[in-house]
Amino acid sequence: MPCYRHLPAALLVALLASVANAASAAPPGPPALPVPLAPSAQLAQLAPTAAAPPGKAALTVLEGKVQRLLITAYGEPNGVRLADGTVVLLPPHLAGRLAGAVAVGDRVRVIGQPASGGAMRAQALVNLASGGAVDGQGDGPPMLPSPSSRPPLQQFSVRGVIDAVLHGPRGEANGVILTDGAIIYFRPDLVGVPLAPGQPFAAVGIGTRAAAGLAIEAISANTTPDQH
């Protein structure tokens, strides 16, 4: 047992008082836990940039107004173009949800990775007006349209001026959007010259004219329409 008899009286009184106060203090309570958010709310509150796990590219977050829906040659949605010209592409299992989640004029937040040509390969898209989200948090990927449910492809001849160049995952040009809105997809080896906005472009191919516009898969294409 500690010996206090040699301590001055005033010091002994102060020491005993501090021990009594410490013994009577209530123990601290457990830390408050954060309230979990719904997936769409989590996405809507993401900061402008998000840190990535080691070995993976960092995610980028941007916002903008939807200028138009992008479609494949079968007329199926595969992305959006924002009012600032940014092309946002989604993987097929997410793109199938676009038509019911966003419309032209909606303001959206996009979470994904930058791609060639200033495009964005999105992993999630949030409609800031409705709160709806196109992401991997649903009940599983939607069923892709079966070939029998797709409209028959038709042949189209298209010419105009390039407004934007589309690129594949390795940075190769594999499509263009013309100033009139037509979308032309092609094999990278079909066009043997560099492409840029403002160039003339012509193509013949098969595709679909849908509510979102015309999109074709080119059979032949070049950048000199008068010789096409």
Side-chain angles (χ1 to χ4, degrees):
M1 174 179 292
C3 182
Y4 299 117
R5 62 185 177 179
H6 299 297
L7 295 176
L11 180 60
L12 180 60
V13 171
L15 178 62
L16 293 176
S18 64
V19 171
N21 290 337
S24 62
L33 296 177
V35 179
L37 297 174
S40 59
Q42 294 173 0
L43 293 171
Q45 294 185 7
L46 280 177
T49 56
K56 292 187 178 181
L59 295 179
T60 297
V61 181
L62 61 84
E63 295 182 8
K65 183 178 291 186
V66 176
Q67 182 189 70
R68 63 169 296 180
L69 293 178
L70 303 181
I71 58 173
T72 68
Y74 286 97
E76 298 159 359
N78 65 346
V80 298
R81 193 176 188 199
L82 303 182
D84 65 358
T86 302
V87 171
V88 178
L89 300 174
L90 284 92
H93 72 284
L94 295 182
R97 299 192 181 106
L98 267 176
V102 300
V104 173
D106 288 344
R107 188 163 185 84
V108 297
R109 177 171 294 161
V110 181
I111 301 96
Q113 296 176 334
S116 300
M120 173 82 81
R121 295 196 176 275
Q123 298 181 15
L125 183 148
V126 179
N127 187 324
L128 296 178
S130 68
V134 178
D135 57 29
Q137 303 295 326
D139 297 328
M143 296 295 293
L144 296 177
S146 64
S148 60
S149 66
R150 289 168 166 166
L153 299 179
Q154 302 177 25
Q155 181 171 319
F156 293 92
S157 178
V158 183
R159 64 179 60 200
V161 176
I162 296 175
D163 188 32
V165 181
L166 306 177
H167 298 84
R170 292 182 294 276
E172 70 282 11
N174 64 358
V176 295
I177 302 176
L178 302 184
T179 54
D180 65 0
I183 305 174
I184 304 170
Y185 300 100
F186 49 79
R187 302 190 319 272
D189 61 345
L190 193 62
V191 179
V193 297
L195 300 176
Q199 284 180 295
F201 195 87
V204 173
I206 54 175
T208 306
R209 189 183 296 277
L214 172 66
I216 69 169
E217 182 72 31
I219 299 170
S220 64
N222 61 52
T223 58
T224 53
D226 291 341
Q227 299 176 15
H228 184 73

mmCIF file of all heavy atoms in Angstrom, residues 11-67:
data_model
loop_
_atom_site.group_PDB
_atom_site.id
_atom_site.type_symbol
_atom_site.label_atom_id
_atom_site.label_comp_id
_atom_site.label_asym_id
_atom_site.label_seq_id
_atom_site.Cartn_x
_atom_site.Cartn_y
_atom_site.Cartn_z
ATOM 1 N N LEU A 11 -0.654 18.725 -0.007
ATOM 2 C CA LEU A 11 -0.433 17.865 -1.169
ATOM 3 C C LEU A 11 -1.215 16.575 -1.039
ATOM 4 O O LEU A 11 -1.760 16.043 -2.013
ATOM 5 C CB LEU A 11 1.068 17.584 -1.326
ATOM 6 C CG LEU A 11 1.471 16.691 -2.494
ATOM 7 C CD1 LEU A 11 1.024 17.328 -3.810
ATOM 8 C CD2 LEU A 11 2.993 16.494 -2.502
ATOM 9 N N LEU A 12 -1.287 16.032 0.159
ATOM 10 C CA LEU A 12 -2.024 14.789 0.381
ATOM 11 C C LEU A 12 -3.496 14.978 0.080
ATOM 12 O O LEU A 12 -4.143 14.136 -0.545
ATOM 13 C CB LEU A 12 -1.816 14.333 1.832
ATOM 14 C CG LEU A 12 -2.533 13.042 2.241
ATOM 15 C CD1 LEU A 12 -2.057 11.881 1.376
ATOM 16 C CD2 LEU A 12 -2.281 12.734 3.720
ATOM 17 N N VAL A 13 -4.086 16.114 0.514
ATOM 18 C CA VAL A 13 -5.504 16.392 0.247
ATOM 19 C C VAL A 13 -5.762 16.481 -1.249
ATOM 20 O O VAL A 13 -6.729 15.922 -1.788
ATOM 21 C CB VAL A 13 -5.938 17.689 0.957
ATOM 22 C CG1 VAL A 13 -7.343 18.104 0.495
ATOM 23 C CG2 VAL A 13 -5.912 17.501 2.459
ATOM 24 N N ALA A 14 -4.863 17.166 -1.995
ATOM 25 C CA ALA A 14 -5.052 17.311 -3.444
ATOM 26 C C ALA A 14 -4.948 15.971 -4.155
ATOM 27 O O ALA A 14 -5.694 15.669 -5.077
ATOM 28 C CB ALA A 14 -4.008 18.292 -3.999
ATOM 29 N N LEU A 15 -4.014 15.128 -3.710
ATOM 30 C CA LEU A 15 -3.830 13.815 -4.330
ATOM 31 C C LEU A 15 -5.043 12.941 -4.126
ATOM 32 O O LEU A 15 -5.537 12.281 -5.040
ATOM 33 C CB LEU A 15 -2.569 13.159 -3.752
ATOM 34 C CG LEU A 15 -2.245 11.748 -4.252
ATOM 35 C CD1 LEU A 15 -1.993 11.769 -5.750
ATOM 36 C CD2 LEU A 15 -1.015 11.188 -3.533
ATOM 37 N N LEU A 16 -5.573 12.910 -2.874
ATOM 38 C CA LEU A 16 -6.752 12.082 -2.603
ATOM 39 C C LEU A 16 -7.961 12.577 -3.375
ATOM 40 O O LEU A 16 -8.789 11.791 -3.852
ATOM 41 C CB LEU A 16 -7.036 12.088 -1.087
ATOM 42 C CG LEU A 16 -5.981 11.387 -0.213
ATOM 43 C CD1 LEU A 16 -6.321 11.542 1.265
ATOM 44 C CD2 LEU A 16 -5.878 9.910 -0.583
ATOM 45 N N ALA A 17 -8.085 13.886 -3.570
ATOM 46 C CA ALA A 17 -9.223 14.441 -4.307
ATOM 47 C C ALA A 17 -9.167 14.035 -5.773
ATOM 48 O O ALA A 17 -10.183 13.694 -6.384
ATOM 49 C CB ALA A 17 -9.240 15.960 -4.172
ATOM 50 N N SER A 18 -7.949 14.057 -6.376
ATOM 51 C CA SER A 18 -7.847 13.670 -7.792
ATOM 52 C C SER A 18 -8.145 12.211 -7.989
ATOM 53 O O SER A 18 -8.753 11.805 -8.972
ATOM 54 C CB SER A 18 -6.440 14.012 -8.313
ATOM 55 O OG SER A 18 -5.463 13.237 -7.630
ATOM 56 N N VAL A 19 -7.744 11.359 -7.031
ATOM 57 C CA VAL A 19 -8.045 9.924 -7.136
ATOM 58 C C VAL A 19 -9.542 9.693 -7.051
ATOM 59 O O VAL A 19 -10.133 8.897 -7.781
ATOM 60 C CB VAL A 19 -7.290 9.142 -6.042
ATOM 61 C CG1 VAL A 19 -7.750 7.696 -5.994
ATOM 62 C CG2 VAL A 19 -5.793 9.223 -6.273
ATOM 63 N N ALA A 20 -10.205 10.408 -6.177
ATOM 64 C CA ALA A 20 -11.656 10.244 -6.029
ATOM 65 C C ALA A 20 -12.393 10.676 -7.277
ATOM 66 O O ALA A 20 -13.349 10.039 -7.715
ATOM 67 C CB ALA A 20 -12.137 11.039 -4.804
ATOM 68 N N ASN A 21 -11.950 11.791 -7.876
ATOM 69 C CA ASN A 21 -12.612 12.267 -9.104
ATOM 70 C C ASN A 21 -12.446 11.282 -10.244
ATOM 71 O O ASN A 21 -13.356 11.034 -11.025
ATOM 72 C CB ASN A 21 -12.044 13.634 -9.507
ATOM 73 C CG ASN A 21 -12.456 14.729 -8.546
ATOM 74 O OD1 ASN A 21 -13.469 14.599 -7.855
ATOM 75 N ND2 ASN A 21 -11.661 15.808 -8.494
ATOM 76 N N ALA A 22 -11.236 10.694 -10.384
ATOM 77 C CA ALA A 22 -10.999 9.719 -11.459
ATOM 78 C C ALA A 22 -11.848 8.489 -11.262
ATOM 79 O O ALA A 22 -12.354 7.896 -12.223
ATOM 80 C CB ALA A 22 -9.505 9.366 -11.493
ATOM 81 N N ALA A 23 -12.019 8.052 -10.015
ATOM 82 C CA ALA A 23 -12.801 6.837 -9.772
ATOM 83 C C ALA A 23 -14.269 7.043 -10.058
ATOM 84 O O ALA A 23 -14.982 6.115 -10.438
ATOM 85 C CB ALA A 23 -12.589 6.388 -8.317
ATOM 86 N N SER A 24 -14.774 8.288 -9.852
ATOM 87 C CA SER A 24 -16.206 8.542 -10.034
ATOM 88 C C SER A 24 -16.565 8.895 -11.466
ATOM 89 O O SER A 24 -17.743 9.000 -11.791
ATOM 90 C CB SER A 24 -16.653 9.680 -9.109
ATOM 91 O OG SER A 24 -15.955 10.872 -9.444
ATOM 92 N N ALA A 25 -15.550 9.146 -12.314
ATOM 93 C CA ALA A 25 -15.863 9.536 -13.699
ATOM 94 C C ALA A 25 -16.475 8.371 -14.451
ATOM 95 O O ALA A 25 -16.064 7.225 -14.302
ATOM 96 C CB ALA A 25 -14.578 10.002 -14.406
ATOM 97 N N ALA A 26 -17.492 8.658 -15.284
ATOM 98 C CA ALA A 26 -18.159 7.591 -16.060
ATOM 99 C C ALA A 26 -17.256 7.152 -17.194
ATOM 100 O O ALA A 26 -16.576 7.959 -17.824
ATOM 101 C CB ALA A 26 -19.484 8.114 -16.610
ATOM 102 N N PRO A 27 -17.191 5.845 -17.480
ATOM 103 C CA PRO A 27 -16.359 5.371 -18.598
ATOM 104 C C PRO A 27 -16.908 5.893 -19.922
ATOM 105 O O PRO A 27 -18.106 6.098 -20.074
ATOM 106 C CB PRO A 27 -16.504 3.844 -18.508
ATOM 107 C CG PRO A 27 -17.786 3.629 -17.780
ATOM 108 C CD PRO A 27 -17.904 4.774 -16.819
ATOM 109 N N PRO A 28 -16.020 6.130 -20.885
ATOM 110 C CA PRO A 28 -16.496 6.641 -22.182
ATOM 111 C C PRO A 28 -17.391 5.630 -22.882
ATOM 112 O O PRO A 28 -17.179 4.421 -22.794
ATOM 113 C CB PRO A 28 -15.183 6.875 -22.972
ATOM 114 C CG PRO A 28 -14.193 5.953 -22.334
ATOM 115 C CD PRO A 28 -14.573 5.900 -20.876
ATOM 116 N N GLY A 29 -18.416 6.129 -23.598
ATOM 117 C CA GLY A 29 -19.325 5.257 -24.335
ATOM 118 C C GLY A 29 -18.713 4.795 -25.640
ATOM 119 O O GLY A 29 -17.650 5.257 -26.058
ATOM 120 N N PRO A 30 -19.354 3.840 -26.300
ATOM 121 C CA PRO A 30 -18.841 3.339 -27.588
ATOM 122 C C PRO A 30 -18.909 4.428 -28.654
ATOM 123 O O PRO A 30 -19.777 5.299 -28.606
ATOM 124 C CB PRO A 30 -19.795 2.187 -27.923
ATOM 125 C CG PRO A 30 -21.041 2.517 -27.175
ATOM 126 C CD PRO A 30 -20.602 3.210 -25.924
ATOM 127 N N PRO A 31 -17.986 4.407 -29.640
ATOM 128 C CA PRO A 31 -18.025 5.434 -30.700
ATOM 129 C C PRO A 31 -19.283 5.318 -31.540
ATOM 130 O O PRO A 31 -19.810 4.233 -31.759
ATOM 131 C CB PRO A 31 -16.764 5.103 -31.546
ATOM 132 C CG PRO A 31 -16.488 3.655 -31.251
ATOM 133 C CD PRO A 31 -16.916 3.436 -29.842
ATOM 134 N N ALA A 32 -19.766 6.481 -32.018
ATOM 135 C CA ALA A 32 -20.974 6.488 -32.853
ATOM 136 C C ALA A 32 -20.672 5.869 -34.201
ATOM 137 O O ALA A 32 -19.620 6.108 -34.804
ATOM 138 C CB ALA A 32 -21.460 7.927 -33.023
ATOM 139 N N LEU A 33 -21.569 5.037 -34.691
ATOM 140 C CA LEU A 33 -21.404 4.384 -35.979
ATOM 141 C C LEU A 33 -22.067 5.214 -37.067
ATOM 142 O O LEU A 33 -23.134 5.795 -36.853
ATOM 143 C CB LEU A 33 -22.028 2.985 -35.962
ATOM 144 C CG LEU A 33 -21.380 1.990 -34.987
ATOM 145 C CD1 LEU A 33 -22.139 0.680 -35.014
ATOM 146 C CD2 LEU A 33 -19.912 1.774 -35.331
ATOM 147 N N PRO A 34 -21.449 5.292 -38.276
ATOM 148 C CA PRO A 34 -22.079 6.051 -39.366
ATOM 149 C C PRO A 34 -23.340 5.382 -39.853
ATOM 150 O O PRO A 34 -23.469 4.164 -39.816
ATOM 151 C CB PRO A 34 -20.988 6.039 -40.465
ATOM 152 C CG PRO A 34 -20.162 4.825 -40.167
ATOM 153 C CD PRO A 34 -20.173 4.688 -38.669
ATOM 154 N N VAL A 35 -24.308 6.181 -40.282
ATOM 155 C CA VAL A 35 -25.556 5.655 -40.824
ATOM 156 C C VAL A 35 -25.324 5.243 -42.267
ATOM 157 O O VAL A 35 -24.860 6.052 -43.075
ATOM 158 C CB VAL A 35 -26.669 6.718 -40.764
ATOM 159 C CG1 VAL A 35 -27.961 6.171 -41.365
ATOM 160 C CG2 VAL A 35 -26.888 7.145 -39.327
ATOM 161 N N PRO A 36 -25.564 3.964 -42.627
ATOM 162 C CA PRO A 36 -25.297 3.543 -44.008
ATOM 163 C C PRO A 36 -26.212 4.247 -44.993
ATOM 164 O O PRO A 36 -27.378 4.508 -44.706
ATOM 165 C CB PRO A 36 -25.582 2.034 -43.964
ATOM 166 C CG PRO A 36 -26.502 1.842 -42.799
ATOM 167 C CD PRO A 36 -26.112 2.892 -41.803
ATOM 168 N N LEU A 37 -25.674 4.563 -46.178
ATOM 169 C CA LEU A 37 -26.449 5.194 -47.245
ATOM 170 C C LEU A 37 -26.827 4.168 -48.294
ATOM 171 O O LEU A 37 -26.165 3.153 -48.469
ATOM 172 C CB LEU A 37 -25.618 6.302 -47.909
ATOM 173 C CG LEU A 37 -25.217 7.484 -47.012
ATOM 174 C CD1 LEU A 37 -24.289 8.404 -47.785
ATOM 175 C CD2 LEU A 37 -26.438 8.245 -46.544
ATOM 176 N N ALA A 38 -27.907 4.443 -48.989
ATOM 177 C CA ALA A 38 -28.270 3.606 -50.128
ATOM 178 C C ALA A 38 -27.201 3.746 -51.199
ATOM 179 O O ALA A 38 -26.500 4.749 -51.280
ATOM 180 C CB ALA A 38 -29.630 4.049 -50.697
ATOM 181 N N PRO A 39 -27.015 2.716 -52.082
ATOM 182 C CA PRO A 39 -25.972 2.787 -53.113
ATOM 183 C C PRO A 39 -26.042 4.041 -53.940
ATOM 184 O O PRO A 39 -25.020 4.659 -54.231
ATOM 185 C CB PRO A 39 -26.249 1.533 -53.948
ATOM 186 C CG PRO A 39 -26.897 0.576 -53.002
ATOM 187 C CD PRO A 39 -27.718 1.436 -52.080
ATOM 188 N N SER A 40 -27.262 4.461 -54.381
ATOM 189 C CA SER A 40 -27.351 5.655 -55.218
ATOM 190 C C SER A 40 -26.933 6.893 -54.451
ATOM 191 O O SER A 40 -26.325 7.805 -55.003
ATOM 192 C CB SER A 40 -28.785 5.822 -55.745
ATOM 193 O OG SER A 40 -29.694 5.936 -54.666
ATOM 194 N N ALA A 41 -27.240 6.956 -53.136
ATOM 195 C CA ALA A 41 -26.825 8.101 -52.339
ATOM 196 C C ALA A 41 -25.318 8.115 -52.154
ATOM 197 O O ALA A 41 -24.683 9.165 -52.144
ATOM 198 C CB ALA A 41 -27.522 8.065 -50.972
ATOM 199 N N GLN A 42 -24.714 6.923 -51.971
ATOM 200 C CA GLN A 42 -23.260 6.862 -51.868
ATOM 201 C C GLN A 42 -22.620 7.407 -53.130
ATOM 202 O O GLN A 42 -21.660 8.167 -53.082
ATOM 203 C CB GLN A 42 -22.820 5.418 -51.628
ATOM 204 C CG GLN A 42 -23.255 4.847 -50.292
ATOM 205 C CD GLN A 42 -22.935 3.367 -50.180
ATOM 206 O OE1 GLN A 42 -22.400 2.778 -51.099
ATOM 207 N NE2 GLN A 42 -23.268 2.778 -49.054
ATOM 208 N N LEU A 43 -23.129 7.014 -54.286
ATOM 209 C CA LEU A 43 -22.564 7.475 -55.549
ATOM 210 C C LEU A 43 -22.791 8.967 -55.720
ATOM 211 O O LEU A 43 -21.919 9.685 -56.198
ATOM 212 C CB LEU A 43 -23.199 6.719 -56.716
ATOM 213 C CG LEU A 43 -22.863 5.227 -56.791
ATOM 214 C CD1 LEU A 43 -23.736 4.566 -57.844
ATOM 215 C CD2 LEU A 43 -21.404 5.017 -57.112
ATOM 216 N N ALA A 44 -23.960 9.453 -55.328
ATOM 217 C CA ALA A 44 -24.269 10.866 -55.517
ATOM 218 C C ALA A 44 -23.400 11.760 -54.661
ATOM 219 O O ALA A 44 -23.197 12.920 -54.979
ATOM 220 C CB ALA A 44 -25.747 11.124 -55.198
ATOM 221 N N GLN A 45 -22.832 11.225 -53.545
ATOM 222 C CA GLN A 45 -22.043 12.048 -52.641
ATOM 223 C C GLN A 45 -20.548 11.847 -52.819
ATOM 224 O O GLN A 45 -19.757 12.309 -52.005
ATOM 225 C CB GLN A 45 -22.428 11.750 -51.180
ATOM 226 C CG GLN A 45 -23.861 12.177 -50.863
ATOM 227 C CD GLN A 45 -24.197 11.994 -49.399
ATOM 228 O OE1 GLN A 45 -23.345 11.672 -48.585
ATOM 229 N NE2 GLN A 45 -25.452 12.198 -49.053
ATOM 230 N N LEU A 46 -20.133 11.145 -53.868
ATOM 231 C CA LEU A 46 -18.711 10.947 -54.098
ATOM 232 C C LEU A 46 -18.009 12.277 -54.318
ATOM 233 O O LEU A 46 -18.547 13.196 -54.907
ATOM 234 C CB LEU A 46 -18.482 10.062 -55.328
ATOM 235 C CG LEU A 46 -18.638 8.557 -55.120
ATOM 236 C CD1 LEU A 46 -18.459 7.852 -56.440
ATOM 237 C CD2 LEU A 46 -17.628 8.032 -54.111
ATOM 238 N N ALA A 47 -16.765 12.390 -53.850
ATOM 239 C CA ALA A 47 -15.957 13.584 -54.076
ATOM 240 C C ALA A 47 -15.527 13.622 -55.530
ATOM 241 O O ALA A 47 -15.631 12.625 -56.243
ATOM 242 C CB ALA A 47 -14.731 13.547 -53.155
ATOM 243 N N PRO A 48 -15.006 14.777 -56.031
ATOM 244 C CA PRO A 48 -14.598 14.884 -57.425
ATOM 245 C C PRO A 48 -13.587 13.833 -57.858
ATOM 246 O O PRO A 48 -13.526 13.483 -59.002
ATOM 247 C CB PRO A 48 -14.009 16.296 -57.497
ATOM 248 C CG PRO A 48 -14.747 17.045 -56.434
ATOM 249 C CD PRO A 48 -14.955 16.055 -55.337
ATOM 250 N N THR A 49 -12.768 13.317 -56.975
ATOM 251 C CA THR A 49 -11.876 12.228 -57.325
ATOM 252 C C THR A 49 -11.949 11.194 -56.224
ATOM 253 O O THR A 49 -12.231 11.497 -55.074
ATOM 254 C CB THR A 49 -10.420 12.703 -57.484
ATOM 255 O OG1 THR A 49 -10.013 13.348 -56.272
ATOM 256 C CG2 THR A 49 -10.301 13.680 -58.640
ATOM 257 N N ALA A 50 -11.713 9.949 -56.578
ATOM 258 C CA ALA A 50 -11.771 8.869 -55.607
ATOM 259 C C ALA A 50 -10.477 8.083 -55.684
ATOM 260 O O ALA A 50 -10.000 7.768 -56.767
ATOM 261 C CB ALA A 50 -12.976 7.953 -55.889
ATOM 262 N N ALA A 51 -9.898 7.756 -54.513
ATOM 263 C CA ALA A 51 -8.665 6.991 -54.498
ATOM 264 C C ALA A 51 -8.925 5.579 -54.975
ATOM 265 O O ALA A 51 -9.991 5.006 -54.750
ATOM 266 C CB ALA A 51 -8.096 6.983 -53.075
ATOM 267 N N ALA A 52 -7.932 4.999 -55.650
ATOM 268 C CA ALA A 52 -8.080 3.655 -56.188
ATOM 269 C C ALA A 52 -7.240 2.684 -55.374
ATOM 270 O O ALA A 52 -6.226 3.057 -54.791
ATOM 271 C CB ALA A 52 -7.635 3.623 -57.649
ATOM 272 N N PRO A 53 -7.650 1.401 -55.324
ATOM 273 C CA PRO A 53 -6.820 0.399 -54.665
ATOM 274 C C PRO A 53 -5.482 0.284 -55.378
ATOM 275 O O PRO A 53 -5.364 0.631 -56.556
ATOM 276 C CB PRO A 53 -7.659 -0.893 -54.822
ATOM 277 C CG PRO A 53 -9.038 -0.426 -55.116
ATOM 278 C CD PRO A 53 -8.896 0.861 -55.841
ATOM 279 N N PRO A 54 -4.453 -0.204 -54.675
ATOM 280 C CA PRO A 54 -3.143 -0.355 -55.315
ATOM 281 C C PRO A 54 -3.238 -1.200 -56.578
ATOM 282 O O PRO A 54 -3.916 -2.219 -56.618
ATOM 283 C CB PRO A 54 -2.307 -1.063 -54.234
ATOM 284 C CG PRO A 54 -2.984 -0.718 -52.942
ATOM 285 C CD PRO A 54 -4.439 -0.606 -53.267
ATOM 286 N N GLY A 55 -2.562 -0.754 -57.626
ATOM 287 C CA GLY A 55 -2.545 -1.501 -58.875
ATOM 288 C C GLY A 55 -3.670 -1.169 -59.829
ATOM 289 O O GLY A 55 -3.713 -1.695 -60.931
ATOM 290 N N LYS A 56 -4.606 -0.300 -59.420
ATOM 291 C CA LYS A 56 -5.718 0.066 -60.296
ATOM 292 C C LYS A 56 -5.712 1.578 -60.526
ATOM 293 O O LYS A 56 -5.295 2.346 -59.673
ATOM 294 C CB LYS A 56 -7.066 -0.352 -59.687
ATOM 295 C CG LYS A 56 -7.255 -1.855 -59.630
ATOM 296 C CD LYS A 56 -8.667 -2.199 -59.184
ATOM 297 C CE LYS A 56 -8.884 -3.708 -59.172
ATOM 298 N NZ LYS A 56 -10.266 -4.065 -58.767
ATOM 299 N N ALA A 57 -6.189 1.970 -61.723
ATOM 300 C CA ALA A 57 -6.234 3.393 -62.051
ATOM 301 C C ALA A 57 -7.268 4.093 -61.178
ATOM 302 O O ALA A 57 -8.297 3.522 -60.824
ATOM 303 C CB ALA A 57 -6.567 3.578 -63.526
ATOM 304 N N ALA A 58 -6.985 5.345 -60.832
ATOM 305 C CA ALA A 58 -7.903 6.119 -59.994
ATOM 306 C C ALA A 58 -9.186 6.431 -60.746
ATOM 307 O O ALA A 58 -9.188 6.604 -61.965
ATOM 308 C CB ALA A 58 -7.233 7.413 -59.549
ATOM 309 N N LEU A 59 -10.283 6.468 -60.019
ATOM 310 C CA LEU A 59 -11.563 6.827 -60.606
ATOM 311 C C LEU A 59 -11.685 8.339 -60.695
ATOM 312 O O LEU A 59 -11.159 9.070 -59.862
ATOM 313 C CB LEU A 59 -12.710 6.269 -59.762
ATOM 314 C CG LEU A 59 -12.836 4.751 -59.693
ATOM 315 C CD1 LEU A 59 -13.998 4.373 -58.791
ATOM 316 C CD2 LEU A 59 -13.019 4.149 -61.070
ATOM 317 N N THR A 60 -12.386 8.788 -61.710
ATOM 318 C CA THR A 60 -12.661 10.206 -61.904
ATOM 319 C C THR A 60 -14.167 10.416 -61.842
ATOM 320 O O THR A 60 -14.939 9.570 -62.284
ATOM 321 C CB THR A 60 -12.126 10.682 -63.268
ATOM 322 O OG1 THR A 60 -10.712 10.532 -63.282
ATOM 323 C CG2 THR A 60 -12.470 12.139 -63.512
ATOM 324 N N VAL A 61 -14.563 11.532 -61.280
ATOM 325 C CA VAL A 61 -15.977 11.876 -61.177
ATOM 326 C C VAL A 61 -16.208 13.193 -61.910
ATOM 327 O O VAL A 61 -15.478 14.158 -61.703
ATOM 328 C CB VAL A 61 -16.413 12.010 -59.699
ATOM 329 C CG1 VAL A 61 -17.902 12.356 -59.616
ATOM 330 C CG2 VAL A 61 -16.122 10.730 -58.939
ATOM 331 N N LEU A 62 -17.196 13.194 -62.790
ATOM 332 C CA LEU A 62 -17.543 14.443 -63.480
ATOM 333 C C LEU A 62 -19.056 14.572 -63.550
ATOM 334 O O LEU A 62 -19.782 13.589 -63.417
ATOM 335 C CB LEU A 62 -16.911 14.495 -64.875
ATOM 336 C CG LEU A 62 -17.279 13.444 -65.915
ATOM 337 C CD1 LEU A 62 -18.567 13.799 -66.642
ATOM 338 C CD2 LEU A 62 -16.158 13.296 -66.928
ATOM 339 N N GLU A 63 -19.518 15.798 -63.767
ATOM 340 C CA GLU A 63 -20.943 16.078 -63.874
ATOM 341 C C GLU A 63 -21.213 16.822 -65.175
ATOM 342 O O GLU A 63 -20.349 17.539 -65.686
ATOM 343 C CB GLU A 63 -21.434 16.906 -62.685
ATOM 344 C CG GLU A 63 -21.352 16.191 -61.358
ATOM 345 C CD GLU A 63 -21.891 17.034 -60.210
ATOM 346 O OE1 GLU A 63 -22.453 18.112 -60.496
ATOM 347 O OE2 GLU A 63 -21.744 16.612 -59.057
ATOM 348 N N GLY A 64 -22.398 16.638 -65.709
ATOM 349 C CA GLY A 64 -22.781 17.344 -66.917
ATOM 350 C C GLY A 64 -24.209 17.046 -67.292
ATOM 351 O O GLY A 64 -24.880 16.207 -66.682
ATOM 352 N N LYS A 65 -24.686 17.746 -68.321
ATOM 353 C CA LYS A 65 -26.051 17.558 -68.812
ATOM 354 C C LYS A 65 -26.021 16.632 -70.021
ATOM 355 O O LYS A 65 -25.171 16.764 -70.898
ATOM 356 C CB LYS A 65 -26.666 18.906 -69.188
ATOM 357 C CG LYS A 65 -28.117 18.831 -69.644
ATOM 358 C CD LYS A 65 -28.674 20.215 -69.953
ATOM 359 C CE LYS A 65 -28.816 21.035 -68.689
ATOM 360 N NZ LYS A 65 -29.499 22.332 -68.964
ATOM 361 N N VAL A 66 -26.946 15.690 -70.065
ATOM 362 C CA VAL A 66 -27.011 14.734 -71.170
ATOM 363 C C VAL A 66 -27.490 15.442 -72.431
ATOM 364 O O VAL A 66 -28.595 15.991 -72.472
ATOM 365 C CB VAL A 66 -27.948 13.556 -70.828
ATOM 366 C CG1 VAL A 66 -28.099 12.615 -72.023
ATOM 367 C CG2 VAL A 66 -27.424 12.795 -69.617
ATOM 368 N N GLN A 67 -26.644 15.434 -73.453
ATOM 369 C CA GLN A 67 -27.005 16.030 -74.732
ATOM 370 C C GLN A 67 -27.746 15.035 -75.619
ATOM 371 O O GLN A 67 -28.689 15.387 -76.312
ATOM 372 C CB GLN A 67 -25.750 16.518 -75.451
ATOM 373 C CG GLN A 67 -25.993 17.203 -76.780
ATOM 374 C CD GLN A 67 -24.684 17.458 -77.509
ATOM 375 O OE1 GLN A 67 -24.028 16.548 -77.989
ATOM 376 N NE2 GLN A 67 -24.305 18.723 -77.568
#
